[in-house]
Short mmCIF file of all heavy atoms in Angstrom, two decimals:
data_model
loop_
_atom_site.label_atom_id
_atom_site.label_comp_id
_atom_site.label_asym_id
_atom_site.label_seq_id
_atom_site.Cartn_x
_atom_site.Cartn_y
_atom_site.Cartn_z
N MET A 1 255.35 81.86 116.77
CA MET A 1 256.66 82.14 117.28
C MET A 1 257.45 82.88 116.19
O MET A 1 257.67 82.35 115.11
CB MET A 1 257.33 80.82 117.65
CG MET A 1 258.75 80.92 118.10
SD MET A 1 259.03 81.61 119.72
CE MET A 1 258.19 80.48 120.78
N PRO A 2 257.90 84.09 116.47
CA PRO A 2 258.71 84.82 115.49
C PRO A 2 260.10 84.20 115.35
O PRO A 2 260.63 83.60 116.28
CB PRO A 2 258.79 86.22 116.06
CG PRO A 2 258.24 86.19 117.42
CD PRO A 2 257.60 84.86 117.65
N ASN A 3 260.67 84.37 114.18
CA ASN A 3 262.05 83.93 113.92
C ASN A 3 262.88 85.16 113.58
O ASN A 3 262.35 86.19 113.16
CB ASN A 3 262.09 82.94 112.76
CG ASN A 3 261.48 81.61 113.14
OD1 ASN A 3 261.93 80.98 114.08
ND2 ASN A 3 260.45 81.20 112.44
N VAL A 4 264.18 85.05 113.74
CA VAL A 4 265.10 86.15 113.50
C VAL A 4 266.13 85.71 112.47
O VAL A 4 266.63 84.59 112.53
CB VAL A 4 265.81 86.57 114.81
CG1 VAL A 4 266.81 87.66 114.56
CG2 VAL A 4 264.79 86.98 115.85
N LEU A 5 266.46 86.60 111.55
CA LEU A 5 267.48 86.34 110.54
C LEU A 5 268.62 87.32 110.79
O LEU A 5 268.42 88.53 110.75
CB LEU A 5 266.90 86.53 109.14
CG LEU A 5 267.82 86.32 107.97
CD1 LEU A 5 268.33 84.88 107.92
CD2 LEU A 5 267.11 86.67 106.68
N ILE A 6 269.81 86.80 111.07
CA ILE A 6 270.96 87.63 111.40
C ILE A 6 272.12 87.23 110.49
O ILE A 6 272.37 86.05 110.28
CB ILE A 6 271.38 87.43 112.87
CG1 ILE A 6 270.24 87.82 113.80
CG2 ILE A 6 272.63 88.23 113.19
CD1 ILE A 6 270.48 87.46 115.24
N VAL A 7 272.83 88.23 109.97
CA VAL A 7 274.04 87.97 109.18
C VAL A 7 275.18 88.82 109.75
O VAL A 7 274.94 89.84 110.41
CB VAL A 7 273.85 88.29 107.68
CG1 VAL A 7 272.81 87.39 107.07
CG2 VAL A 7 273.50 89.74 107.47
N ARG A 8 276.39 88.38 109.51
CA ARG A 8 277.57 89.11 109.98
C ARG A 8 277.65 90.46 109.27
O ARG A 8 277.45 90.55 108.07
CB ARG A 8 278.83 88.31 109.72
CG ARG A 8 278.90 87.04 110.56
CD ARG A 8 280.09 86.22 110.24
NE ARG A 8 281.30 87.04 110.40
CZ ARG A 8 282.51 86.61 110.12
NH1 ARG A 8 282.69 85.40 109.65
NH2 ARG A 8 283.54 87.39 110.29
N SER A 9 278.00 91.50 109.99
CA SER A 9 278.07 92.84 109.41
C SER A 9 279.19 92.96 108.38
O SER A 9 279.14 93.85 107.53
CB SER A 9 278.27 93.88 110.52
OG SER A 9 279.47 93.65 111.22
N GLU A 10 280.17 92.06 108.40
CA GLU A 10 281.27 92.10 107.43
C GLU A 10 280.84 91.64 106.04
O GLU A 10 281.54 91.88 105.07
CB GLU A 10 282.44 91.22 107.89
CG GLU A 10 283.09 91.65 109.18
CD GLU A 10 282.39 91.09 110.42
OE1 GLU A 10 281.64 90.09 110.29
OE2 GLU A 10 282.57 91.65 111.51
N LEU A 11 279.72 90.95 105.95
CA LEU A 11 279.25 90.43 104.67
C LEU A 11 278.46 91.50 103.91
O LEU A 11 277.79 92.32 104.52
CB LEU A 11 278.37 89.20 104.88
CG LEU A 11 279.06 87.99 105.50
CD1 LEU A 11 278.05 86.89 105.79
CD2 LEU A 11 280.13 87.47 104.56
N PRO A 12 278.52 91.47 102.59
CA PRO A 12 277.80 92.46 101.78
C PRO A 12 276.33 92.08 101.59
O PRO A 12 275.83 92.02 100.48
CB PRO A 12 278.57 92.44 100.45
CG PRO A 12 279.03 91.02 100.33
CD PRO A 12 279.36 90.60 101.75
N ILE A 13 275.64 91.81 102.68
CA ILE A 13 274.25 91.35 102.63
C ILE A 13 273.38 92.37 103.34
O ILE A 13 273.56 92.65 104.52
CB ILE A 13 274.12 89.96 103.29
CG1 ILE A 13 274.94 88.95 102.52
CG2 ILE A 13 272.66 89.54 103.38
CD1 ILE A 13 275.08 87.61 103.17
N HIS A 14 272.43 92.95 102.56
CA HIS A 14 271.55 93.98 103.11
C HIS A 14 270.08 93.66 102.88
O HIS A 14 269.22 94.48 103.22
CB HIS A 14 271.90 95.33 102.51
CG HIS A 14 273.33 95.71 102.73
ND1 HIS A 14 273.83 96.09 103.97
CD2 HIS A 14 274.40 95.72 101.90
CE1 HIS A 14 275.12 96.33 103.87
NE2 HIS A 14 275.49 96.11 102.63
N SER A 15 269.80 92.50 102.31
CA SER A 15 268.43 92.09 102.05
C SER A 15 268.37 90.57 101.96
O SER A 15 269.41 89.90 101.87
CB SER A 15 267.92 92.70 100.74
OG SER A 15 268.61 92.14 99.64
N VAL A 16 267.17 90.04 101.97
CA VAL A 16 267.02 88.59 101.81
C VAL A 16 267.50 88.17 100.42
O VAL A 16 268.13 87.12 100.27
CB VAL A 16 265.56 88.16 102.06
CG1 VAL A 16 265.36 86.68 101.76
CG2 VAL A 16 265.15 88.46 103.49
N ALA A 17 267.26 89.00 99.41
CA ALA A 17 267.75 88.69 98.06
C ALA A 17 269.27 88.60 98.04
O ALA A 17 269.83 87.72 97.38
CB ALA A 17 267.25 89.74 97.06
N ASP A 18 269.95 89.50 98.75
CA ASP A 18 271.41 89.44 98.85
C ASP A 18 271.84 88.13 99.53
O ASP A 18 272.81 87.50 99.11
CB ASP A 18 271.96 90.61 99.67
CG ASP A 18 271.86 91.94 99.00
OD1 ASP A 18 271.61 92.00 97.78
OD2 ASP A 18 272.02 92.97 99.72
N LEU A 19 271.13 87.75 100.58
CA LEU A 19 271.44 86.52 101.28
C LEU A 19 271.29 85.30 100.38
O LEU A 19 272.17 84.43 100.34
CB LEU A 19 270.55 86.37 102.52
CG LEU A 19 270.72 85.07 103.32
CD1 LEU A 19 272.11 84.98 103.91
CD2 LEU A 19 269.66 84.99 104.40
N ILE A 20 270.21 85.24 99.65
CA ILE A 20 269.98 84.12 98.73
C ILE A 20 271.09 84.06 97.69
O ILE A 20 271.64 82.98 97.41
CB ILE A 20 268.59 84.23 98.06
CG1 ILE A 20 267.50 84.04 99.11
CG2 ILE A 20 268.44 83.21 96.94
CD1 ILE A 20 266.11 84.41 98.64
N GLY A 21 271.45 85.19 97.11
CA GLY A 21 272.54 85.22 96.14
C GLY A 21 273.86 84.77 96.73
O GLY A 21 274.62 84.03 96.10
N HIS A 22 274.14 85.19 97.95
CA HIS A 22 275.39 84.80 98.61
C HIS A 22 275.41 83.30 98.90
O HIS A 22 276.43 82.63 98.70
CB HIS A 22 275.54 85.59 99.91
CG HIS A 22 276.84 85.36 100.60
ND1 HIS A 22 278.03 85.91 100.16
CD2 HIS A 22 277.16 84.63 101.70
CE1 HIS A 22 279.01 85.53 100.95
NE2 HIS A 22 278.49 84.75 101.90
N ILE A 23 274.28 82.75 99.35
CA ILE A 23 274.21 81.31 99.62
C ILE A 23 274.38 80.52 98.34
O ILE A 23 275.09 79.52 98.30
CB ILE A 23 272.89 80.96 100.33
CG1 ILE A 23 272.92 81.48 101.76
CG2 ILE A 23 272.64 79.45 100.31
CD1 ILE A 23 271.60 81.36 102.49
N ARG A 24 273.74 80.96 97.27
CA ARG A 24 273.86 80.24 95.99
C ARG A 24 275.29 80.29 95.46
O ARG A 24 275.77 79.33 94.86
CB ARG A 24 272.88 80.82 94.98
CG ARG A 24 271.47 80.41 95.27
CD ARG A 24 270.50 80.91 94.24
NE ARG A 24 269.17 80.37 94.52
CZ ARG A 24 268.06 80.88 94.06
NH1 ARG A 24 268.08 81.96 93.28
NH2 ARG A 24 266.90 80.34 94.36
N ALA A 25 275.99 81.40 95.69
CA ALA A 25 277.37 81.54 95.22
C ALA A 25 278.37 80.82 96.13
O ALA A 25 279.45 80.43 95.69
CB ALA A 25 277.74 83.01 95.12
N ASN A 26 278.01 80.63 97.41
CA ASN A 26 278.92 80.04 98.39
C ASN A 26 278.21 79.02 99.28
O ASN A 26 278.19 79.16 100.51
CB ASN A 26 279.49 81.15 99.30
CG ASN A 26 280.15 82.25 98.53
OD1 ASN A 26 281.26 82.10 98.07
ND2 ASN A 26 279.45 83.37 98.40
N PRO A 27 277.63 77.98 98.71
CA PRO A 27 276.83 77.06 99.53
C PRO A 27 277.61 76.36 100.63
O PRO A 27 277.06 76.08 101.70
CB PRO A 27 276.27 76.06 98.52
CG PRO A 27 277.18 76.14 97.35
CD PRO A 27 277.69 77.55 97.32
N ALA A 28 278.88 76.11 100.42
CA ALA A 28 279.67 75.41 101.44
C ALA A 28 279.97 76.29 102.65
O ALA A 28 280.32 75.78 103.71
CB ALA A 28 280.97 74.91 100.83
N LYS A 29 279.83 77.61 102.50
CA LYS A 29 280.12 78.52 103.61
C LYS A 29 278.88 78.88 104.42
O LYS A 29 278.99 79.54 105.44
CB LYS A 29 280.73 79.81 103.05
CG LYS A 29 282.10 79.60 102.44
CD LYS A 29 282.66 80.91 101.96
CE LYS A 29 284.03 80.74 101.36
NZ LYS A 29 284.58 82.02 100.89
N ALA A 30 277.71 78.46 103.97
CA ALA A 30 276.47 78.81 104.66
C ALA A 30 276.19 77.86 105.82
O ALA A 30 276.47 76.67 105.74
CB ALA A 30 275.31 78.79 103.68
N ASN A 31 275.66 78.39 106.90
CA ASN A 31 275.22 77.57 108.02
C ASN A 31 274.11 78.29 108.77
O ASN A 31 273.84 79.46 108.51
CB ASN A 31 276.37 77.19 108.95
CG ASN A 31 277.03 78.39 109.56
OD1 ASN A 31 276.38 79.32 109.99
ND2 ASN A 31 278.35 78.36 109.62
N PHE A 32 273.46 77.60 109.67
CA PHE A 32 272.43 78.23 110.48
C PHE A 32 272.41 77.60 111.86
O PHE A 32 272.97 76.54 112.09
CB PHE A 32 271.06 78.14 109.81
CG PHE A 32 270.42 76.77 109.88
CD1 PHE A 32 269.51 76.49 110.88
CD2 PHE A 32 270.70 75.80 108.95
CE1 PHE A 32 268.90 75.23 110.96
CE2 PHE A 32 270.11 74.55 109.00
CZ PHE A 32 269.20 74.27 110.02
N SER A 33 271.73 78.28 112.76
CA SER A 33 271.57 77.79 114.11
C SER A 33 270.09 77.81 114.46
O SER A 33 269.35 78.67 113.98
CB SER A 33 272.35 78.70 115.06
OG SER A 33 272.17 78.28 116.39
N SER A 34 269.67 76.86 115.27
CA SER A 34 268.28 76.84 115.73
C SER A 34 268.25 76.34 117.17
O SER A 34 269.24 75.79 117.67
CB SER A 34 267.43 75.94 114.83
OG SER A 34 267.81 74.59 114.98
N ALA A 35 267.10 76.53 117.81
CA ALA A 35 266.97 76.14 119.21
C ALA A 35 267.06 74.62 119.38
O ALA A 35 267.64 74.13 120.34
CB ALA A 35 265.66 76.65 119.77
N SER A 36 266.50 73.87 118.43
CA SER A 36 266.50 72.42 118.52
C SER A 36 265.89 71.86 117.24
O SER A 36 265.21 72.56 116.51
CB SER A 36 265.68 71.98 119.73
OG SER A 36 265.67 70.58 119.86
N ALA A 37 266.13 70.59 116.99
CA ALA A 37 265.53 69.94 115.82
C ALA A 37 264.01 69.96 115.94
O ALA A 37 263.47 69.68 117.01
CB ALA A 37 266.04 68.51 115.71
N GLY A 38 263.36 70.32 114.86
CA GLY A 38 261.90 70.33 114.83
C GLY A 38 261.26 71.64 115.26
O GLY A 38 260.05 71.78 115.18
N THR A 39 262.06 72.60 115.72
CA THR A 39 261.50 73.89 116.11
C THR A 39 261.19 74.72 114.87
O THR A 39 261.63 74.41 113.76
CB THR A 39 262.48 74.67 117.01
OG1 THR A 39 263.69 74.90 116.27
CG2 THR A 39 262.78 73.92 118.29
N SER A 40 260.44 75.81 115.04
CA SER A 40 260.10 76.65 113.89
C SER A 40 261.35 77.23 113.23
O SER A 40 261.42 77.34 112.01
CB SER A 40 259.13 77.75 114.30
OG SER A 40 259.72 78.62 115.24
N SER A 41 262.36 77.59 114.02
CA SER A 41 263.59 78.13 113.43
C SER A 41 264.34 77.07 112.63
O SER A 41 264.89 77.35 111.56
CB SER A 41 264.49 78.74 114.50
OG SER A 41 264.83 77.80 115.48
N HIS A 42 264.36 75.84 113.12
CA HIS A 42 265.02 74.75 112.42
C HIS A 42 264.29 74.42 111.12
O HIS A 42 264.89 74.34 110.05
CB HIS A 42 265.07 73.51 113.32
CG HIS A 42 265.61 72.30 112.64
ND1 HIS A 42 264.85 71.19 112.39
CD2 HIS A 42 266.85 72.04 112.14
CE1 HIS A 42 265.59 70.29 111.77
NE2 HIS A 42 266.80 70.77 111.61
N LEU A 43 262.98 74.23 111.20
CA LEU A 43 262.21 73.89 110.00
C LEU A 43 262.20 75.03 108.99
O LEU A 43 262.31 74.81 107.78
CB LEU A 43 260.79 73.50 110.38
CG LEU A 43 260.69 72.25 111.26
CD1 LEU A 43 259.26 72.03 111.71
CD2 LEU A 43 261.22 71.03 110.53
N GLY A 44 262.08 76.26 109.47
CA GLY A 44 262.10 77.41 108.58
C GLY A 44 263.41 77.54 107.83
O GLY A 44 263.43 77.77 106.61
N ALA A 45 264.52 77.40 108.52
CA ALA A 45 265.83 77.49 107.88
C ALA A 45 266.04 76.33 106.91
O ALA A 45 266.57 76.52 105.81
CB ALA A 45 266.94 77.53 108.92
N SER A 46 265.63 75.14 107.29
CA SER A 46 265.79 73.98 106.42
C SER A 46 264.99 74.12 105.14
O SER A 46 265.49 73.89 104.04
CB SER A 46 265.38 72.70 107.15
OG SER A 46 266.23 72.44 108.21
N CYS A 47 263.75 74.52 105.27
CA CYS A 47 262.88 74.68 104.09
C CYS A 47 263.36 75.83 103.21
O CYS A 47 263.42 75.71 101.99
CB CYS A 47 261.44 74.90 104.51
SG CYS A 47 260.68 73.46 105.26
N SER A 48 263.71 76.96 103.82
CA SER A 48 264.19 78.10 103.04
C SER A 48 265.49 77.75 102.33
O SER A 48 265.66 78.04 101.16
CB SER A 48 264.42 79.31 103.95
OG SER A 48 263.21 79.75 104.51
N GLY A 49 266.41 77.13 103.05
CA GLY A 49 267.69 76.76 102.46
C GLY A 49 267.53 75.85 101.26
O GLY A 49 268.19 76.02 100.24
N ARG A 50 266.65 74.90 101.35
CA ARG A 50 266.43 73.99 100.22
C ARG A 50 265.88 74.74 99.01
O ARG A 50 266.29 74.49 97.89
CB ARG A 50 265.49 72.87 100.61
CG ARG A 50 266.10 71.87 101.55
CD ARG A 50 265.11 70.77 101.90
NE ARG A 50 265.55 69.99 103.03
CZ ARG A 50 266.35 68.95 102.92
NH1 ARG A 50 266.80 68.56 101.76
NH2 ARG A 50 266.71 68.28 104.01
N SER A 51 264.97 75.67 99.24
CA SER A 51 264.40 76.42 98.12
C SER A 51 265.42 77.39 97.52
O SER A 51 265.30 77.80 96.38
CB SER A 51 263.13 77.15 98.54
OG SER A 51 263.43 78.22 99.41
N TRP A 52 266.44 77.75 98.31
CA TRP A 52 267.49 78.65 97.83
C TRP A 52 268.66 77.90 97.20
O TRP A 52 269.64 78.51 96.78
CB TRP A 52 268.03 79.52 98.96
CG TRP A 52 267.01 80.40 99.61
CD1 TRP A 52 265.79 80.77 99.10
CD2 TRP A 52 267.09 81.00 100.88
NE1 TRP A 52 265.13 81.57 99.99
CE2 TRP A 52 265.90 81.73 101.09
CE3 TRP A 52 268.05 81.00 101.89
CZ2 TRP A 52 265.66 82.46 102.26
CZ3 TRP A 52 267.81 81.72 103.03
CH2 TRP A 52 266.64 82.45 103.21
N GLY A 53 268.60 76.58 97.17
CA GLY A 53 269.68 75.80 96.57
C GLY A 53 270.76 75.39 97.55
O GLY A 53 271.82 74.95 97.16
N TRP A 54 270.50 75.51 98.83
CA TRP A 54 271.46 75.15 99.86
C TRP A 54 270.97 73.90 100.55
O TRP A 54 269.86 73.81 101.01
CB TRP A 54 271.58 76.29 100.85
CG TRP A 54 272.40 76.03 102.06
CD1 TRP A 54 273.65 75.49 102.10
CD2 TRP A 54 272.03 76.31 103.41
NE1 TRP A 54 274.08 75.42 103.39
CE2 TRP A 54 273.11 75.91 104.21
CE3 TRP A 54 270.91 76.83 104.01
CZ2 TRP A 54 273.09 76.05 105.59
CZ3 TRP A 54 270.91 76.96 105.37
CH2 TRP A 54 271.99 76.58 106.16
N ARG A 55 271.79 72.88 100.61
CA ARG A 55 271.37 71.61 101.20
C ARG A 55 272.08 71.36 102.51
O ARG A 55 273.19 71.47 102.67
CB ARG A 55 271.69 70.45 100.25
CG ARG A 55 271.10 70.68 98.91
CD ARG A 55 269.91 69.77 98.70
NE ARG A 55 269.35 69.98 97.39
CZ ARG A 55 268.12 70.42 97.19
NH1 ARG A 55 267.33 70.67 98.18
NH2 ARG A 55 267.66 70.57 95.99
#
C-alpha cells in the first residue's frame, strides 16, 4: 500500500530533509493524519516521527 506525504504550500519545505529539520525545530507544531490506528500510514508516520525526534 503506497503512502503519501503532503505539506502545506506556505511552509518552506521542499524535501524530506527540510521536513525533518522543520519537525526538529518545531516539534509541538507537527502532526499527522492516517486512515486508522495500525494502518501502514499510521505506523509509518509514528516510526518516522520517532526517528526524527518527534514524539
Side-chain angles (χ1 to χ4, degrees):
M1 176 72 62
N3 289 302
V4 178
L5 179 63
I6 300 172
V7 296
R8 294 176 56 184
S9 60
E10 297 86 19
L11 296 174
I13 297 171
H14 303 288
S15 68
V16 175
D18 290 345
L19 177 63
I20 293 168
H22 185 76
I23 289 171
R24 286 183 174 160
N26 305 282
K29 293 182 180 180
N31 61 42
F32 75 96
S33 178
S34 68
S36 181
T39 60
S40 63
S41 58
H42 174 246
L43 297 174
S46 295
C47 292
S48 296
R50 289 180 194 274
S51 70
W52 300 341
W54 173 49
R55 306 253 181 242

